[in-house]
Amino acid sequence: MSAANLLQLLVAGITMGAVYGLVALGFVTIYRCSGVVNFAQGEFVMLGALLTVYLLKVAYLPYPAAAAVAVVIVVLVGVLVYQMVVAPLRQASVLSLIMATLGVSLFIQNDALVAWSARPAALPPFSGDIPIRLGEVSVVPQSLWVILMAAVVLVALYLLNNRTLFGKKMTATATQPLAAGLVGISTGSMIRWSFAISAAVGAFAGLFLAAMVPMNFASGTTFGLKGFVAAVLGGWGKSTGAVLGGLALGIVEAFSAGLLPTGYKDAIAFLVLILILYYRPTGILGASLAGAE
Amino acid sequence: MRKQSRITVILAVLLGISLLLSACQSAPAPSASSSKPEEKAKTESKEPYKIGVLTTLTGPPAFVGNDIRDAAVLEVERINAAGGIDGHPIELLVEDDGGDPSKAVTGLTKLIRQDKVLAVTGPFIGPLEASLRPVAEREQTPFVVICPTIPELRAKKDKYAFNIAQPESARVGAWLDILKGNKYTKVAGITSNDPVLLASFKLLQTEARAQGIEVIVLPDAVDPNAVDLTPEVTKLKELVAREKPQAVVSGVWPPSTPTLLKTMKQLGVEIPTITYDAAADPFLFAMGGDELNGLLLPGGKVLAGEALPDSEPQKAVIIDFKKRYEGKTGRPASALAGDSRDAINIIANALKVAGPDKAKIRDAVEKTTNFVGVNGVYNYKPDDHEGVSKESFAIYEVKDKKFVFLRVVK
């Protein structure tokens, strides 16, 4: 395979990797604050995509308005998930919480199936689909949008966590909930915020993604799983790790599909995961328990 | 705490409103949508004849599965309104196969043993067929399968299974019609990892060679569930650069077809593309736009409708069906809806001859000759349980989100 084609695969890998990374960021944001693994994270991605499609093509809102309204609705759904499912189960075991979020995931999926049928739908690209040619390598503008989005979200989360009082409160909630409560932080409200932020990140990932590939009600499962793998790969609980893990997964996938028979793509990706976890059980950056970093 | 619960209530109301809004906007649901017996007959006097429908009503492929149910309900209503089969109304029983082989086997067994249907039609998902045929065979129940079959299953010469969809020889015949029509002598092939399509490409290579056309198939089949096709298209790009084919024949699954064409355009693989009959469904246009322009494909004649030449024997049947189906469901009549309509009518015709005896119904289905349906003109024979040939296909070109009828395959 020529160098140009290898670079092409790298571009494809980075693009998909940025999407996985965004989904992983959603997992990590909730986990860091509350210790909950939210398996409905993929559904936020799907809802972000399908709501935008609906608002754009059926309700005829302008593109930016459709996207904004979709994100707001997904954030409300995220808060609702916390309020109605996670909050009442705060005292339950982790296993029960995981089961509950899986239930939420099925619930949202099937509502989406009823509301929009199962037909895949796509969004128009944000800024046309004329590829930018760098020598023999073509880069679609949408790829750049996705990569930019991942970078912006990562930086924003970093600043939020490390430079604001609000972020400090979230970190305090994660590190020592009891002490945080004693100094007057409303831990419940902090965790609610983490669900809101995760839902927003997921919705953005979804609507950026739908401009590249058609999505339907079941797409959330695929991306939820890949995002989870990315989060584990990068070092469970770390934001930068999530993005790194996403990029690593995307690049490994693209190269294995491009260089080997394509059927091995998932096998190779999961083999890499097993190897990394075997030799480095804490992920690329080393896992952090809720609150470290 | 009180503040929290107030927020909960407000949010719940908001979500409820948004769900309601979206539900109101969606298309009107077909009137018969449960898996209960669909029809109360006008001719109550005689015992109803039961026919089972096994289709996918949940899971990702459900959006086409509904077409099969709705077309079957429509036909049964029509037959019953006209007095049923010698006064016996048809009772339709619908089971969901969930797109899953084990669920499908359970559904088929339930239809046959518990509901005691006389014949079954469905499913349209290829991979389910292999596990269902042995059940129909064991239970000695006529089984009119909607999906196409594969050489391995055909070789088993099942007595009770018949197929509605075209065999790969018809698809290859249609492809060759397109290749010869455009005077192509060297083409590339790319396909999803699907036994029906792999068999089609194998046959295409042999038959094309006999007619002086070289077909170079990309050795790696595409993962049907792949989201990003850049790696596959990169391989295709290398093949195109090396072999310089005049066109690409694609057996990539229809949901991935817009992505394939978009990716080809982005990576600069500018080459005419031909795909296969399953993509001939309007759902293609929900996913893609301009990149689909120029795509050539064979497909059922139902899409052409009024555009068909008057000499076409299927034209009247197709126009009548389209009018009734679209009037009732508000959705365009798809090839699968037509397949389901044909299956119900083939079974009803056999019931007319055979009465409620499963072995006799099987024999009568096998003797179906010159049945003019929406999908084709069927002639089943003891050694041909597929009954249609390439002449049942029309050739289309995609232009501005429409399938433009070019010609009937000869």
Side-chain angles (χ1 to χ4, degrees):
Chain A
M1 189 164 277
S2 70
N5 286 344
L6 287 175
L7 271 176
Q8 190 71 60
L9 289 179
L10 185 68
V11 171
I14 291 175
T15 310
M16 288 318 283
V19 174
Y20 298 156
L22 279 172
V23 183
L25 275 176
F27 273 106
V28 167
T29 304
I30 289 181
Y31 179 79
R32 286 190 63 221
C33 198
S34 66
V36 175
V37 182
N38 171 33
F39 276 105
Q41 190 62 37
E43 304 331 314
F44 295 154
V45 177
M46 176 273 290
L47 273 182
L50 294 192
L51 275 169
T52 313
V53 171
Y54 171 80
L55 292 168
L56 186 71
K57 294 188 177 173
V58 183
Y60 298 111
L61 289 185
Y63 206 159
V69 175
V71 172
V72 169
I73 295 178
V74 177
V75 167
L76 287 178
V77 172
V79 173
L80 205 61
V81 168
Y82 168 72
Q83 210 69 37
M84 298 181 73
V85 181
V86 178
L89 287 174
R90 282 302 289 156
Q91 307 303 325
S93 71
V94 175
L95 194 65
S96 314
L97 268 172
I98 290 181
M99 285 298 160
T101 59
L102 276 176
V104 168
S105 151
L106 285 176
F107 177 81
I108 296 180
Q109 256 184 48
N110 284 287
D111 282 338
L113 172 64
V114 172
W116 298 299
S117 93
R119 285 163 199 266
L123 287 169
F126 295 176
S127 48
D129 53 2
I130 298 158
I132 303 157
R133 294 207 193 275
L134 306 165
E136 273 189 61
V137 181
S138 331
V139 183
V140 201
Q142 193 65 28
S143 291
L144 299 178
W145 280 108
V146 170
I147 296 165
L148 183 72
M149 172 78 193
V152 166
V153 169
L154 184 64
V155 171
L157 284 180
Y158 176 83
L159 293 179
L160 183 77
N161 281 329
N162 296 291
R163 296 287 161 86
T164 64
L165 183 63
F166 180 80
K168 296 230 155 67
K169 282 188 192 171
M170 285 185 95
T171 313
T173 306
T175 325
Q176 183 41 271
L178 183 66
L182 284 175
V183 297
I185 298 169
S186 163
T187 51
S189 122
M190 285 300 121
I191 298 175
R192 191 187 306 129
W193 272 108
S194 77
F195 270 82
I197 294 169
S198 280
V201 171
F204 272 117
L207 72 96
F208 276 63
L209 185 62
M212 292 192 297
V213 290
M215 306 261 288
N216 77 351
F217 77 102
S219 306
T221 315
T222 319
F223 289 99
L225 188 68
K226 294 273 167 71
F228 180 68
V229 170
V232 173
L233 201 58
W236 186 234
K238 288 198 166 175
S239 301
T240 31
V243 173
L244 269 183
L247 290 175
L249 183 66
I251 293 170
V252 167
E253 266 191 6
F255 275 106
S256 55
L259 299 176
L260 298 168
T262 44
Y264 290 117
K265 185 171 85 175
D266 285 344
I268 299 287
F270 285 103
L271 186 72
V272 169
L273 177 71
I274 293 170
L275 286 179
I276 288 190
L277 291 185
Y278 184 78
Y279 288 106
R280 206 179 153 72
T282 50
I284 298 174
L285 288 190
S288 69
L289 294 172
E293 191 181 46
Chain B
M1 272 333 271
R2 272 188 56 203
K3 196 178 152 207
Q4 278 210 352
S5 60
R6 206 179 314 140
I7 294 174
T8 312
V9 171
I10 294 169
L11 287 173
V13 169
L14 276 177
L15 182 73
I17 291 171
S18 62
L19 279 179
L20 266 180
L21 278 177
S22 60
C24 295
Q25 301 270 338
S26 59
S31 56
S33 57
S34 67
S35 61
K36 305 263 155 35
E38 304 284 0
E39 272 306 296
K40 269 288 154 236
K42 289 179 181 146
T43 45
E44 292 282 2
S45 51
K46 289 190 178 173
E47 202 189 323
Y49 289 161
K50 289 181 182 173
I51 300 180
V53 176
L54 190 64
T55 181
T56 311
L57 301 175
T58 52
F63 63 99
V64 275
N66 292 339
D67 287 4
I68 289 184
R69 177 197 59 202
D70 295 344
V73 170
L74 183 75
E75 282 313 289
V76 167
E77 279 173 358
R78 182 183 65 78
I79 294 169
N80 287 349
I85 313 271
D86 301 329
H88 294 273
I90 295 179
E91 188 181 322
L92 206 59
L93 293 124
V94 184
E95 277 295 321
D96 177 21
D97 61 36
D100 170 59
S102 63
K103 213 174 161 199
V105 167
T106 317
L108 182 60
T109 314
K110 176 181 174 278
L111 283 171
I112 295 172
R113 294 224 181 136
Q114 201 172 318
D115 300 331
K116 307 227 178 306
V117 296
L118 294 168
V120 183
T121 181
F124 67 94
I125 297 182
L128 303 184
E129 195 192 5
S131 17
L132 292 173
R133 274 173 173 247
V135 179
E137 208 63 10
R138 182 187 71 211
E139 304 287 338
Q140 307 195 332
T141 305
F143 184 33
V144 182
V145 184
I146 289 178
C147 67
T149 197
I150 51 173
E152 290 80 357
L153 288 177
R154 189 180 295 127
K156 287 172 68 192
K157 298 200 182 304
D158 286 329
K159 277 183 72 179
Y160 282 85
F162 298 84
N163 285 85
I164 290 287
Q166 281 82 353
E168 62 272 13
S169 59
R171 178 173 307 118
V172 167
W175 273 341
L176 285 172
D177 185 296
I178 297 176
L179 298 185
K180 284 188 286 185
N182 288 295
K183 302 200 169 31
Y184 294 143
T185 52
K186 189 172 185 181
V187 294
I190 178 170
T191 179
S192 282
N193 195 357
D194 169 329
V196 171
L197 292 159
L198 292 174
S200 301
F201 274 92
K202 220 168 138 189
L203 187 68
L204 176 67
Q205 284 185 307
T206 345
E207 299 223 333
R209 197 176 306 128
Q211 306 199 25
I213 303 171
E214 192 186 350
V215 182
I216 308 145
V217 181
L218 203 67
D220 289 338
V222 177
D223 171 9
N225 301 315
V227 177
D228 176 36
L229 293 179
T230 311
E232 286 82 354
V233 173
T234 308
K235 288 179 183 173
L236 181 67
K237 188 180 177 181
E238 297 209 317
L239 179 84
V240 169
R242 193 172 61 236
E243 303 284 352
K244 310 232 173 344
Q246 295 145 307
V248 173
V249 181
S250 155
V252 171
W253 277 11
S256 300
T257 296
T259 313
L260 173 79
L261 292 168
K262 215 194 280 179
T263 315
M264 282 171 63
K265 214 170 156 187
Q266 285 158 2
L267 301 197
V269 190
E270 308 273 354
I271 186 167
T273 307
I274 299 152
T275 190
Y276 73 111
D277 40 288
D281 189 298
F283 82 84
L284 204 62
F285 303 125
M287 305 178 287
D290 293 344
E291 70 271 17
L292 294 167
N293 280 340
L295 181 69
L296 287 168
L297 71 168
K301 290 175 190 165
V302 66
L303 289 176
E306 290 285 354
L308 286 168
D310 287 333
S311 58
E312 196 52 48
Q314 288 168 259
K315 186 172 181 177
V317 180
I318 288 173
I319 287 173
D320 165 64
F321 174 70
K322 269 178 93 96
K323 206 171 79 191
R324 287 187 296 122
Y325 184 87
E326 286 162 12
K328 185 171 176 209
T329 64
R331 301 195 303 268
S334 63
L336 278 174
D339 289 352
S340 167
R341 178 230 170 254
D342 291 352
I344 293 289
N345 281 286
I346 287 172
I347 294 173
N349 288 346
L351 274 167
K352 236 174 263 174
V353 182
D357 178 325
K358 292 202 285 191
K360 283 188 189 156
I361 297 169
R362 187 216 85 92
D363 294 344
V365 172
E366 195 169 70
K367 289 197 184 91
T368 299
T369 34
N370 272 329
F371 168 77
V372 182
V374 168
N375 189 50
V377 179
Y378 286 83
N379 287 294
Y380 289 126
K381 294 185 195 75
D383 60 350
D384 178 11
H385 278 198
E386 287 161 281
V388 278
S389 50
K390 63 177 183 183
E391 286 79 12
S392 57
F393 277 133
I395 292 169
Y396 299 95
E397 181 179 351
V398 175
K399 264 186 203 147
D400 299 327
K401 299 200 167 196
K402 281 200 176 62
F403 293 105
V404 179
F405 169 75
L406 297 183
R407 60 183 182 274
V408 169
V409 177
K410 287 280 180 267

